[in-house]
Coordinates of all heavy atoms in Angstrom, one line a residue:
M1255 N -32.0 9.0 22.5 CA -31.0 8.0 22.8 C -29.7 8.4 22.0 O -29.7 8.6 20.8 CB -31.5 6.7 22.5 CG -30.3 5.7 22.6 SD -30.7 3.9 22.2 CE -32.5 3.8 21.9
N1256 N -28.5 8.6 22.6 CA -27.3 8.9 22.1 C -26.6 7.6 21.5 O -27.0 6.5 21.7 CB -26.4 9.7 22.8 CG -26.0 8.9 24.1 OD1 -26.0 7.7 24.2 ND2 -25.6 9.7 25.0
R1257 N -25.6 7.8 20.8 CA -24.9 6.5 20.2 C -24.3 5.7 21.2 O -24.3 4.4 21.1 CB -23.8 7.0 19.3 CG -24.4 7.7 18.0 CD -23.4 7.4 16.9 NE -24.0 8.0 15.7 CZ -24.9 7.4 14.9 NH1 -25.1 6.2 15.1 NH2 -25.3 8.0 13.8
Q1258 N -23.8 6.2 22.3 CA -23.2 5.4 23.5 C -24.2 4.4 24.0 O -24.0 3.3 24.3 CB -22.6 6.3 24.6 CG -21.3 6.9 24.0 CD -20.6 7.9 25.0 OE1 -21.4 8.2 26.0 NE2 -19.4 8.3 24.7
D1259 N -25.5 5.1 24.3 CA -26.6 4.3 24.8 C -26.9 3.2 23.9 O -27.2 2.0 24.3 CB -27.8 5.2 25.2 CG -27.5 6.1 26.4 OD1 -26.6 5.9 27.1 OD2 -28.2 7.1 26.4
L1260 N -27.0 3.5 22.7 CA -27.4 2.5 21.6 C -26.4 1.4 21.5 O -26.7 0.2 21.5 CB -27.6 3.2 20.2 CG -28.0 2.3 19.1 CD1 -29.4 1.7 19.3 CD2 -28.1 3.1 17.7
L1261 N -25.2 1.8 21.6 CA -24.1 0.8 21.5 C -24.1 -0.2 22.7 O -24.0 -1.4 22.7 CB -22.7 1.4 21.4 CG -21.5 0.5 21.2 CD1 -21.5 -0.3 20.0 CD2 -20.3 1.3 21.2
A1262 N -24.4 0.5 24.0 CA -24.5 -0.4 25.1 C -25.7 -1.3 25.0 O -25.6 -2.5 25.4 CB -24.6 0.5 26.3
R1263 N -26.8 -0.9 24.5 CA -28.0 -1.8 24.4 C -27.6 -2.9 23.3 O -28.1 -4.0 23.6 CB -29.1 -1.0 23.9 CG -29.7 -0.1 24.9 CD -31.0 0.6 24.5 NE -31.5 1.3 25.6 CZ -32.7 2.0 25.5 NH1 -33.5 1.8 24.4 NH2 -33.2 2.7 26.5
L1264 N -27.0 -2.6 22.3 CA -26.7 -3.6 21.3 C -25.7 -4.6 21.8 O -25.8 -5.8 21.6 CB -26.0 -2.9 19.9 CG -27.0 -2.2 19.1 CD1 -26.2 -1.5 18.1 CD2 -28.0 -3.2 18.4
I1265 N -24.8 -4.2 22.6 CA -23.9 -5.2 23.2 C -24.6 -6.0 24.2 O -24.3 -7.2 24.4 CB -22.7 -4.4 23.9 CG1 -21.8 -3.8 22.8 CG2 -21.9 -5.2 24.9 CD1 -20.7 -2.9 23.5
A1266 N -25.5 -5.4 25.0 CA -26.2 -6.2 25.9 C -27.2 -7.2 25.2 O -27.3 -8.4 25.6 CB -27.1 -5.2 26.9
Q1267 N -27.7 -6.8 24.1 CA -28.6 -7.7 23.2 C -27.7 -8.8 22.7 O -28.2 -9.9 22.6 CB -29.3 -7.0 22.1 CG -30.1 -7.8 21.2 CD -30.7 -7.0 20.0 OE1 -30.7 -5.7 20.0 NE2 -31.2 -7.7 19.1
A1268 N -26.4 -8.6 22.2 CA -25.5 -9.6 21.7 C -25.2 -10.6 22.8 O -25.2 -11.7 22.5 CB -24.3 -8.9 21.1
E1269 N -25.1 -10.2 24.1 CA -24.7 -11.1 25.1 C -26.0 -12.0 25.4 O -25.9 -13.1 25.7 CB -24.4 -10.3 26.4 CG -23.0 -9.6 26.3 CD -22.6 -8.8 27.5 OE1 -23.4 -8.7 28.5 OE2 -21.5 -8.2 27.6
D1270 N -27.1 -11.3 25.4 CA -28.4 -12.2 25.7 C -28.8 -13.1 24.6 O -29.1 -14.1 24.9 CB -29.6 -11.2 25.9 CG -29.4 -10.3 27.2 OD1 -28.5 -10.7 28.1 OD2 -30.1 -9.3 27.3
A1271 N -28.7 -12.6 23.4 CA -29.2 -13.4 22.3 C -28.1 -14.3 21.7 O -28.3 -15.1 20.9 CB -29.6 -12.5 21.1
G1272 N -26.8 -14.2 22.3 CA -25.8 -15.1 21.7 C -25.0 -14.6 20.5 O -24.2 -15.2 20.0
G1273 N -25.4 -13.3 20.2 CA -24.6 -12.6 19.1 C -24.8 -13.2 17.8 O -24.0 -13.7 17.1
D1274 N -26.1 -13.0 17.4 CA -26.4 -13.4 15.9 C -25.7 -12.3 14.9 O -25.3 -11.2 15.3 CB -27.9 -13.5 15.6 CG -28.6 -12.1 15.9 OD1 -28.0 -11.2 16.6 OD2 -29.8 -11.9 15.3
F1275 N -25.7 -12.6 13.6 CA -25.0 -11.8 12.6 C -25.5 -10.4 12.6 O -24.7 -9.4 12.7 CB -25.0 -12.5 11.3 CG -24.4 -11.7 10.2 CD1 -22.9 -11.6 10.1 CD2 -25.1 -11.0 9.3 CE1 -22.4 -10.9 9.2 CE2 -24.4 -10.2 8.3 CZ -23.1 -10.2 8.3
V1276 N -26.7 -10.2 12.6 CA -27.3 -8.8 12.5 C -27.0 -8.0 13.7 O -26.6 -6.7 13.5 CB -28.9 -8.9 12.4 CG1 -29.5 -7.6 12.3 CG2 -29.2 -9.7 11.0
T1277 N -27.0 -8.6 14.9 CA -26.7 -7.8 16.0 C -25.3 -7.4 16.2 O -24.9 -6.4 16.4 CB -27.1 -8.6 17.2 OG1 -28.5 -9.0 17.3 CG2 -26.8 -7.8 18.5
L1278 N -24.3 -8.4 15.8 CA -22.9 -8.1 15.8 C -22.5 -7.1 14.8 O -21.7 -6.2 14.9 CB -22.2 -9.4 15.5 CG -22.2 -10.5 16.6 CD1 -21.4 -11.7 16.3 CD2 -21.6 -9.9 18.0
R1279 N -23.2 -7.2 13.7 CA -23.0 -6.2 12.5 C -23.4 -4.7 13.0 O -22.8 -3.8 12.7 CB -23.7 -6.4 11.2 CG -23.5 -5.6 10.1 CD -24.0 -6.0 8.9 NE -23.8 -5.0 7.9 CZ -24.0 -5.2 6.6 NH1 -24.5 -6.3 6.2 NH2 -23.8 -4.1 5.8
A1280 N -24.5 -4.7 13.7 CA -25.0 -3.4 14.2 C -24.1 -2.9 15.3 O -23.8 -1.6 15.4 CB -26.4 -3.6 14.8
V1281 N -23.5 -3.8 16.2 CA -22.5 -3.4 17.1 C -21.3 -2.7 16.3 O -20.8 -1.7 16.9 CB -22.2 -4.5 18.0 CG1 -20.9 -4.2 18.8 CG2 -23.3 -5.0 19.0
V1282 N -20.9 -3.4 15.4 CA -19.6 -2.9 14.7 C -19.9 -1.6 14.1 O -19.1 -0.6 14.1 CB -19.1 -4.0 13.7 CG1 -18.1 -3.5 12.9 CG2 -18.6 -5.2 14.5
E1283 N -21.1 -1.5 13.4 CA -21.3 -0.2 12.8 C -21.5 0.9 13.7 O -21.0 2.0 13.5 CB -22.7 -0.3 11.9 CG -22.5 -1.1 10.7 CD -23.8 -1.4 10.0 OE1 -24.8 -0.7 10.3 OE2 -23.8 -2.1 8.9
E1284 N -22.2 0.7 14.9 CA -22.4 1.8 15.9 C -21.1 2.1 16.6 O -20.7 3.3 16.7 CB -23.5 1.4 16.9 CG -24.8 1.4 16.4 CD -25.2 2.7 15.8 OE1 -25.0 3.8 16.5 OE2 -25.9 2.8 14.8
A1285 N -20.3 1.1 16.9 CA -18.9 1.4 17.4 C -18.1 2.1 16.5 O -17.3 3.2 16.7 CB -18.2 0.1 17.8
S1286 N -18.1 1.8 15.2 CA -17.3 2.6 14.1 C -17.8 3.9 14.1 O -17.0 4.9 13.9 CB -17.5 1.9 12.8 OG -16.9 0.6 12.7
E1287 N -19.1 4.2 14.0 CA -19.7 5.6 14.0 C -19.2 6.4 15.3 O -18.9 7.6 15.1 CB -21.1 5.5 13.8 CG -21.8 6.8 13.5 CD -21.6 7.3 12.2 OE1 -21.4 6.5 11.2 OE2 -21.6 8.5 11.9
L1288 N -19.4 5.8 16.4 CA -19.0 6.4 17.6 C -17.6 6.8 17.6 O -17.2 7.9 17.9 CB -19.3 5.6 18.8 CG -19.2 6.2 20.2 CD1 -19.9 7.4 20.3 CD2 -19.5 5.2 21.3
G1289 N -16.6 5.9 17.2 CA -15.3 6.2 17.2 C -14.9 7.3 16.1 O -14.1 8.2 16.3
A1290 N -15.6 7.2 15.0 CA -15.4 8.3 14.0 C -15.8 9.6 14.4 O -15.1 10.7 14.3 CB -16.0 7.9 12.7
T1291 N -16.9 9.6 15.1 CA -17.4 11.0 15.7 C -16.5 11.5 16.9 O -16.2 12.7 16.8 CB -18.8 10.8 16.3 OG1 -19.7 10.2 15.3 CG2 -19.3 12.0 16.9
R1292 N -15.9 10.6 17.6 CA -14.9 11.1 18.7 C -13.7 11.6 18.0 O -13.1 12.7 18.4 CB -14.6 9.8 19.5 CG -15.6 9.6 20.6 CD -15.1 8.4 21.4 NE -16.2 8.1 22.4 CZ -16.2 7.0 23.1 NH1 -15.0 6.1 23.1 NH2 -17.1 6.6 23.9
V1293 N -13.3 11.0 16.9 CA -12.0 11.4 16.3 C -12.3 12.8 15.7 O -11.4 13.7 15.8 CB -11.6 10.4 15.2 CG1 -10.4 11.1 14.4 CG2 -11.0 9.2 15.9
L1294 N -13.4 13.0 15.0 CA -13.6 14.3 14.3 C -13.8 15.3 15.4 O -13.4 16.5 15.2 CB -14.9 14.2 13.6 CG -14.8 13.4 12.2 CD1 -16.1 13.3 11.5 CD2 -13.8 14.1 11.3
A1295 N -14.4 15.0 16.6 CA -14.5 16.0 17.6 C -13.2 16.3 18.2 O -13.0 17.6 18.6 CB -15.3 15.4 18.7
R1296 N -12.3 15.5 18.3 CA -10.9 15.7 18.9 C -10.2 16.6 17.8 O -9.2 17.4 18.3 CB -10.2 14.4 19.1 CG -10.7 13.7 20.3 CD -9.9 12.5 20.6 NE -10.5 11.7 21.9 CZ -10.3 10.4 22.0 NH1 -9.6 9.7 21.2 NH2 -10.9 9.8 23.0
M1297 N -10.4 16.4 16.5 CA -9.7 17.2 15.6 C -10.4 18.5 15.3 O -9.8 19.3 14.5 CB -9.7 16.4 14.3 CG -8.8 15.2 14.3 SD -8.8 14.1 12.8 CE -8.3 15.3 11.6
G1298 N -11.5 18.8 15.9 CA -12.2 20.1 15.8 C -13.0 20.1 14.5 O -13.2 21.2 14.0
L1299 N -13.3 19.0 14.0 CA -14.0 18.9 12.7 C -15.5 18.4 12.9 O -15.9 17.7 12.0 CB -13.3 18.0 11.6 CG -12.0 18.5 11.2 CD1 -11.2 17.5 10.4 CD2 -12.0 19.8 10.5
D1300 N -16.1 18.7 14.0 CA -17.3 18.2 14.3 C -18.5 19.2 14.1 O -19.7 19.0 14.4 CB -17.5 17.6 15.6 CG -17.1 18.5 16.8 OD1 -16.4 19.6 16.3 OD2 -17.4 18.3 18.0
D1301 N -18.1 20.5 13.6 CA -19.1 21.4 13.5 C -19.7 21.4 12.0 O -19.3 20.6 11.1 CB -18.6 22.8 13.7 CG -17.3 23.2 12.7 OD1 -16.9 22.3 12.1 OD2 -16.9 24.3 12.8
A1302 N -20.6 22.3 11.7 CA -21.2 22.3 10.3 C -20.3 22.8 9.4 O -20.5 22.5 8.2 CB -22.5 23.4 10.4
N1303 N -19.3 23.5 9.6 CA -18.4 24.1 8.6 C -17.2 23.2 8.3 O -16.4 23.6 7.5 CB -17.9 25.4 9.0 CG -18.9 26.5 9.1 OD1 -19.9 26.5 8.4 ND2 -18.8 27.4 10.1
A1304 N -17.3 22.0 8.9 CA -16.1 21.0 8.7 C -15.8 20.7 7.2 O -14.8 20.6 6.7 CB -16.3 19.9 9.6
H1305 N -17.0 20.4 6.5 CA -16.9 20.1 5.1 C -16.1 21.1 4.3 O -15.3 21.0 3.4 CB -18.2 19.8 4.6 CG -18.2 19.1 3.1 ND1 -17.8 19.9 2.1 CD2 -18.5 17.8 2.7 CE1 -17.9 19.0 1.0 NE2 -18.2 17.8 1.4
E1306 N -16.6 22.4 4.6 CA -16.0 23.6 3.8 C -14.5 23.6 4.3 O -13.6 24.0 3.4 CB -16.8 24.8 4.2 CG -18.2 24.8 3.6 CD -19.1 26.0 4.2 OE1 -18.5 26.8 5.0 OE2 -20.2 26.0 3.9
D1307 N -14.2 23.5 5.6 CA -12.8 23.6 5.9 C -11.9 22.6 5.3 O -10.9 23.0 4.8 CB -12.8 23.4 7.5 CG -13.4 24.5 8.3 OD1 -13.6 25.6 7.7 OD2 -13.7 24.3 9.3
L1308 N -12.4 21.4 5.2 CA -11.6 20.3 4.5 C -11.5 20.6 3.0 O -10.4 20.4 2.4 CB -12.4 18.9 4.7 CG -12.1 18.4 6.1 CD1 -13.0 17.1 6.2 CD2 -10.6 18.1 6.4
A1309 N -12.6 21.3 2.4 CA -12.4 21.5 1.0 C -11.4 22.6 0.7 O -10.6 22.6 -0.1 CB -13.8 22.0 0.4
E1310 N -11.4 23.6 1.7 CA -10.5 24.7 1.6 C -8.9 24.2 1.8 O -8.0 24.5 1.2 CB -10.6 25.8 2.6 CG -11.8 26.6 2.3 CD -12.1 27.7 3.3 OE1 -11.3 28.0 4.2 OE2 -13.3 28.2 3.3
L1311 N -8.8 23.2 2.8 CA -7.4 22.6 3.0 C -7.1 21.9 1.7 O -5.8 21.9 1.5 CB -7.6 21.7 4.2 CG -7.6 22.4 5.5 CD1 -7.8 21.5 6.7 CD2 -6.3 23.2 5.8
R1312 N -8.0 21.1 1.1 CA -7.5 20.4 -0.1 C -7.2 21.3 -1.2 O -6.2 21.1 -1.9 CB -8.7 19.5 -0.6 CG -9.0 18.2 0.3 CD -10.0 17.4 -0.2 NE -10.2 16.3 0.6 CZ -11.4 15.9 1.1 NH1 -12.5 16.6 0.8 NH2 -11.6 14.9 1.9
E1313 N -7.8 22.5 -1.4 CA -7.5 23.4 -2.3 C -6.1 24.0 -2.0 O -5.3 24.2 -2.9 CB -8.5 24.6 -2.4 CG -9.8 24.1 -3.0 CD -10.7 25.3 -3.0 OE1 -10.3 26.5 -3.0 OE2 -12.0 25.1 -3.0
L1314 N -5.9 24.4 -0.8 CA -4.6 24.9 -0.3 C -3.4 23.9 -0.6 O -2.3 24.2 -1.1 CB -4.7 25.3 1.2 CG -3.3 26.0 1.8 CD1 -3.1 27.2 1.1 CD2 -3.6 26.1 3.3
L1315 N -3.7 22.6 -0.2 CA -2.7 21.6 -0.6 C -2.4 21.4 -2.0 O -1.3 21.3 -2.4 CB -3.1 20.2 0.1 CG -2.1 19.1 0.0 CD1 -0.9 19.6 0.8 CD2 -2.7 17.9 0.6
A1316 N -3.4 21.5 -2.8 CA -3.2 21.4 -4.3 C -2.4 22.6 -4.8 O -1.5 22.4 -5.6 CB -4.6 21.2 -5.0
A1317 N -2.7 23.8 -4.3 CA -2.0 24.9 -4.6 C -0.6 24.8 -4.2 O 0.4 25.1 -5.0 CB -2.5 26.2 -4.1
W1318 N -0.3 24.4 -3.1 CA 1.1 24.2 -2.6 C 1.8 23.2 -3.5 O 3.0 23.4 -3.8 CB 1.0 23.7 -1.1 CG 2.4 23.2 -0.7 CD1 2.8 21.8 -0.6 CD2 3.6 24.0 -0.4 NE1 4.0 21.9 -0.1 CE2 4.6 23.1 -0.1 CE3 3.8 25.4 -0.4 CZ2 5.8 23.5 0.4 CZ3 5.1 25.8 -0.1 CH2 6.1 24.9 0.3
R1319 N 1.2 22.0 -3.8 CA 1.8 21.1 -4.8 C 2.1 21.6 -6.1 O 3.2 21.4 -6.7 CB 1.0 19.9 -4.9 CG 0.9 19.0 -3.6 CD 0.0 17.8 -3.7 NE 0.0 17.0 -2.4 CZ -0.9 16.2 -2.1 NH1 -2.0 16.0 -2.9 NH2 -0.9 15.5 -1.0
D1320 N 1.2 22.4 -6.6 CA 1.4 23.2 -7.9 C 2.5 24.1 -7.9 O 3.4 24.1 -8.7 CB 0.2 23.9 -8.3 CG -1.0 22.9 -8.8 OD1 -0.7 21.7 -9.0 OD2 -2.1 23.3 -8.9
A1321 N 2.7 24.9 -6.8 CA 3.7 25.8 -6.6 C 5.1 25.1 -6.5 O 6.1 25.6 -7.0 CB 3.5 26.8 -5.4
K1322 N 5.1 24.1 -5.8 CA 6.3 23.3 -5.6 C 6.8 22.7 -6.9 O 8.0 22.8 -7.3 CB 6.1 22.2 -4.5 CG 7.3 21.5 -4.0 CD 7.0 20.6 -2.8 CE 6.1 19.5 -3.1 NZ 6.1 18.5 -2.0
R1323 N 5.9 22.1 -7.6 CA 6.1 21.5 -8.9 C 6.6 22.7 -10.0 O 7.6 22.4 -10.6 CB 4.9 20.9 -9.5 CG 5.2 20.1 -10.8 CD 4.0 19.4 -11.2 NE 3.1 18.6 -10.2 CZ 2.0 18.9 -9.8 NH1 1.3 19.9 -10.4 NH2 1.4 18.3 -8.9
S1324 N 6.0 23.8 -9.8 CA 6.6 24.9 -10.7 C 7.8 25.4 -10.2 O 8.7 25.7 -11.2 CB 5.5 26.1 -10.6 OG 4.3 25.7 -11.1
A1325 N 8.2 25.4 -9.0 CA 9.5 25.9 -8.5 C 10.6 24.9 -9.0 O 11.6 25.4 -9.5 CB 9.5 26.1 -7.0
W1326 N 10.2 23.6 -8.9 CA 11.2 22.6 -9.4 C 11.5 22.8 -10.8 O 12.7 22.6 -11.3 CB 10.8 21.2 -8.9 CG 11.2 20.8 -7.6 CD1 10.3 20.6 -6.5 CD2 12.5 20.6 -7.1 NE1 11.0 20.4 -5.5 CE2 12.4 20.3 -5.6 CE3 13.7 20.6 -7.7 CZ2 13.5 20.0 -5.0 CZ3 14.9 20.2 -6.8 CH2 14.7 20.0 -5.5
R1327 N 10.4 22.9 -11.6 CA 10.6 23.0 -13.1 C 11.5 24.2 -13.4 O 12.2 24.1 -14.3 CB 9.2 23.2 -13.7 CG 8.4 21.7 -13.8 CD 7.1 21.9 -14.4 NE 6.6 20.6 -14.5 CZ 5.2 20.4 -14.7 NH1 4.5 21.4 -15.1 NH2 4.6 19.3 -14.6
A1328 N 11.1 25.4 -12.7 CA 11.9 26.6 -12.9 C 13.4 26.4 -12.7 O 14.3 26.8 -13.4 CB 11.3 27.7 -12.2
A1329 N 13.6 25.7 -11.6 CA 15.1 25.5 -11.1 C 15.7 24.6 -12.1 O 16.9 24.7 -12.5 CB 15.0 24.8 -9.7
V1330 N 15.1 23.6 -12.6 CA 15.6 22.6 -13.6 C 15.9 23.4 -14.9 O 16.9 23.3 -15.5 CB 14.8 21.3 -13.8 CG1 15.3 20.7 -15.0 CG2 14.8 20.6 -12.5
D1331 N 14.9 24.2 -15.3 CA 15.1 25.0 -16.5 C 16.3 25.9 -16.4 O 17.1 26.0 -17.4 CB 13.8 26.0 -16.8 CG 12.7 25.0 -17.3 OD1 12.9 23.9 -17.8 OD2 11.5 25.5 -17.3
W1332 N 16.5 26.6 -15.3 CA 17.7 27.4 -15.1 C 18.9 26.7 -15.2 O 19.9 27.1 -15.8 CB 17.6 28.2 -13.8 CG 16.6 29.5 -14.0 CD1 15.4 29.7 -13.6 CD2 17.1 30.7 -14.8 NE1 15.0 30.9 -14.1 CE2 15.9 31.5 -14.6 CE3 18.1 31.2 -15.3 CZ2 15.8 32.8 -15.3 CZ3 18.2 32.3 -16.0 CH2 17.0 33.2 -15.9
V1333 N 19.0 25.6 -14.5 CA 20.1 24.7 -14.6 C 20.5 24.2 -16.0 O 21.7 24.4 -16.4 CB 20.0 23.5 -13.5 CG1 21.2 22.5 -13.8 CG2 20.0 24.0 -12.1
V1334 N 19.5 23.9 -16.6 CA 19.7 23.4 -18.1 C 20.2 24.5 -18.9 O 21.2 24.4 -19.7 CB 18.5 22.8 -18.6 CG1 18.6 22.6 -20.1 CG2 18.0 21.5 -17.9
R1335 N 19.6 25.7 -18.7 CA 20.1 26.9 -19.5 C 21.5 27.3 -19.2 O 22.3 27.6 -20.0 CB 19.2 28.0 -19.2 CG 17.8 27.9 -19.9 CD 17.0 29.2 -19.5 NE 15.7 28.9 -20.0 CZ 14.7 29.8 -19.7 NH1 14.8 30.8 -19.1 NH2 13.4 29.5 -20.3
G1336 N 21.9 27.1 -17.8 CA 23.3 27.4 -17.5 C 24.2 26.5 -18.1 O 25.3 26.8 -18.5
V1337 N 23.9 25.2 -18.0 CA 24.7 24.1 -18.6 C 24.9 24.4 -20.1 O 26.0 24.3 -20.6 CB 24.2 22.7 -18.3 CG1 25.0 21.6 -19.1 CG2 24.4 22.4 -16.8
L1338 N 23.8 24.7 -20.8 CA 23.9 24.9 -22.3 C 24.8 26.2 -22.6 O 25.5 26.2 -23.5 CB 22.5 25.1 -22.8 CG 21.6 23.9 -22.9 CD1 20.3 24.1 -23.4 CD2 22.4 22.8 -23.8
A1339 N 24.7 27.2 -21.7 CA 25.4 28.4 -22.0 C 26.9 28.1 -21.7 O 27.7 28.5 -22.5 CB 24.9 29.5 -21.0
L1340 N 27.3 27.4 -20.7 CA 28.7 27.0 -20.4 C 29.2 26.1 -21.7 O 30.3 26.2 -22.1 CB 28.7 26.1 -19.2 CG 28.7 27.1 -17.9 CD1 28.6 26.1 -16.6 CD2 29.8 28.0 -17.9
L1341 N 28.3 25.2 -22.2 CA 28.6 24.4 -23.3 C 28.9 25.2 -24.6 O 29.9 25.0 -25.1 CB 27.6 23.3 -23.5 CG 27.8 22.4 -24.7 CD1 29.0 21.4 -24.3 CD2 26.6 21.5 -24.9
L1342 N 28.1 26.2 -24.8 CA 28.3 27.1 -25.9 C 29.6 27.9 -25.7 O 30.4 28.1 -26.7 CB 27.2 28.0 -26.1 CG 25.9 27.4 -26.7 CD1 24.8 28.4 -26.8 CD2 26.3 26.9 -28.1
F1343 N 29.7 28.4 -24.5 CA 31.0 29.1 -24.3 C 32.3 28.2 -24.4 O 33.3 28.6 -25.1 CB 31.0 29.5 -22.8 CG 32.2 30.3 -22.4 CD1 32.5 31.7 -22.8 CD2 33.1 29.8 -21.6 CE1 33.6 32.4 -22.5 CE2 34.3 30.5 -21.2 CZ 34.6 31.8 -21.7
A1344 N 32.2 27.0 -24.0 CA 33.4 26.0 -24.1 C 33.5 25.8 -25.6 O 34.7 25.6 -26.1 CB 33.1 24.7 -23.5
I1345 N 32.4 25.6 -26.3 CA 32.7 25.3 -27.9 C 33.3 26.6 -28.5 O 34.1 26.4 -29.4 CB 31.3 25.0 -28.4 CG1 30.9 23.6 -28.0 CG2 31.4 25.1 -30.0 CD1 29.5 23.2 -28.4
A1346 N 32.9 27.8 -28.1 CA 33.4 29.0 -28.7 C 34.9 29.1 -28.4 O 35.8 29.4 -29.2 CB 32.7 30.2 -28.2
V1347 N 35.4 28.7 -27.2 CA 36.7 28.9 -26.8 C 37.5 27.7 -27.5 O 38.6 28.0 -28.0 CB 36.8 28.7 -25.2 CG1 38.4 28.5 -24.9 CG2 36.3 29.9 -24.5
R1348 N 37.0 26.6 -27.6 CA 37.6 25.6 -28.3 C 37.8 25.8 -29.9 O 38.9 25.4 -30.4 CB 36.7 24.1 -28.2 CG 37.3 23.1 -28.8 CD 38.3 22.5 -27.8 NE 38.6 21.1 -28.3 CZ 39.6 20.4 -27.8 NH1 40.3 20.8 -26.7 NH2 40.0 19.3 -28.3
L1349 N 36.9 26.5 -30.4 CA 36.9 26.8 -31.9 C 37.8 28.1 -32.1 O 38.1 28.6 -33.2 CB 35.5 27.1 -32.4 CG 34.7 25.8 -32.6 CD1 33.4 26.3 -33.1 CD2 35.4 24.8 -33.5
G1350 N 38.3 28.7 -31.1 CA 39.2 29.8 -31.1 C 38.4 31.1 -31.3 O 38.9 32.2 -31.7
L1351 N 37.3 31.1 -30.8 CA 36.4 32.3 -30.9 C 36.5 33.0 -29.5 O 35.6 33.7 -29.2 CB 35.1 31.9 -31.3 CG 34.9 31.2 -32.7 CD1 33.4 31.0 -32.8 CD2 35.4 32.2 -33.8
G1352 N 37.4 32.8 -28.8 CA 37.5 33.4 -27.4 C 37.6 34.9 -27.5 O 37.2 35.6 -26.6
D1353 N 38.2 35.4 -28.5 CA 38.3 36.8 -28.6 C 36.9 37.5 -28.8 O 36.7 38.7 -28.4 CB 39.2 37.4 -29.9 CG 40.6 36.7 -29.7 OD1 41.1 36.7 -28.5 OD2 41.3 36.5 -30.6
L1354 N 36.1 36.8 -29.5 CA 34.7 37.4 -29.7 C 33.9 37.4 -28.3 O 33.0 38.2 -28.2 CB 34.0 36.6 -30.7 CG 34.4 36.6 -32.1 CD1 33.6 35.6 -33.1 CD2 34.3 38.0 -32.6
V1355 N 34.2 36.4 -27.4 CA 33.6 36.3 -26.1 C 34.0 37.4 -25.3 O 33.2 38.1 -24.5 CB 33.8 35.0 -25.6 CG1 33.1 34.9 -24.2 CG2 33.3 33.9 -26.5
R1356 N 35.3 37.8 -25.3 CA 35.8 38.8 -24.5 C 35.4 40.1 -24.9 O 35.0 41.1 -24.6 CB 37.3 38.8 -24.4 CG 37.9 37.5 -23.8 CD 39.3 37.5 -23.9 NE 39.8 36.2 -23.5 CZ 41.0 35.8 -23.5 NH1 41.9 36.8 -23.8 NH2 41.3 34.5 -23.1

């Protein structure tokens, strides 16, 4: 018996029995499971390798985030170094040490 048949039987049982708590809970659980299975199938993640695929995607995403963070840090470092170099140059010119810079 597949999940759709089981869900249909549970719904029929809920209609006949008046919908006690256990039956309604089973209906909700089976409907949720069936919906999740359909979503995974539509996304192409219903095979045996899906767990490994998701693990690889998580690793790739983590690597991308690390690379992005490193790139931003490097850019900020270069900007800070440039500002400090300009500041030192301005101080040297202000102190009359412009001839040493040239």
Side-chain angles (χ1 to χ4, degrees):
M1255 170 182 355
N1256 62 20
R1257 293 216 178 266
Q1258 290 177 346
D1259 294 338
L1260 181 61
L1261 184 58
R1263 286 186 182 183
L1264 285 171
I1265 291 173
Q1267 180 181 348
E1269 287 176 357
D1270 292 341
D1274 60 340
F1275 178 74
V1276 175
T1277 305
L1278 291 177
R1279 183 173 178 172
V1281 168
V1282 169
E1283 287 179 6
E1284 287 301 320
S1286 300
E1287 187 73 27
L1288 183 61
T1291 303
R1292 284 182 184 170
V1293 167
L1294 289 173
R1296 287 180 185 159
M1297 292 175 57
L1299 296 172
D1300 58 342
D1301 59 349
N1303 296 329
H1305 190 290
E1306 295 169 5
D1307 293 343
L1308 287 176
E1310 287 180 18
L1311 284 173
R1312 286 186 182 124
E1313 287 179 25
L1314 182 62
L1315 184 59
W1318 167 254
R1319 288 178 178 159
D1320 289 343
K1322 190 169 61 169
R1323 190 177 310 118
S1324 295
W1326 276 109
R1327 285 183 184 163
V1330 169
D1331 285 347
W1332 278 104
V1333 168
V1334 168
R1335 287 178 186 175
V1337 168
L1338 289 176
L1340 286 174
L1341 182 64
L1342 285 175
F1343 180 74
I1345 291 172
V1347 169
R1348 183 80 171 173
L1349 293 175
L1351 301 174
D1353 295 334
L1354 293 176
V1355 176
R1356 293 181 193 174

